[in-house]
């Protein structure tokens, strides 16, 4: 039984040390890419929108 427990703990440690960092890096890359795309889309929308001067009534 202790051999099986040792093997389980070894596999768990191996998974945490190899798979978890890779998943964290992938999540960070995806989040950064999403933020960059949203920012780019916002800048493009602002550039196309007509500027409204202060004090004018907007219907």
């Amino acid at each position: 039984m202790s051999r099986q427990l040792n093997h389980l703990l070894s596999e768990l440690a191996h998974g945490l040390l190899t798979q978890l960092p890779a998943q964290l890096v992938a999540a960070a890359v995806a989040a950064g890419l999403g933020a960059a795309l949203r920012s780019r889309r916002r800048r493009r929308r602002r550039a196309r929108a007509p500027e409204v001067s202060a004090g004018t009534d907007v219907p």
Side-chain angles (χ1 to χ4, degrees):
M1 183 71 170
S2 70
R3 216 171 106 210
Q4 289 176 337
L5 182 60
N6 188 23
H7 179 70
L8 175 68
L9 292 176
S10 174
E11 289 294 316
L12 182 64
H14 176 73
L16 286 176
L17 293 174
T18 58
Q19 296 299 317
L20 185 60
Q23 289 178 356
L24 290 174
V25 167
V29 168
L33 182 61
L37 289 175
R38 281 191 303 276
S39 176
R40 181 179 178 197
R41 192 179 319 145
R42 266 189 240 123
R43 280 194 310 268
R44 284 182 151 188
R45 239 186 264 147
R46 269 192 226 132
R48 283 191 308 207
E51 291 187 23
V52 178
S53 61
T56 59
D57 291 334
V58 179

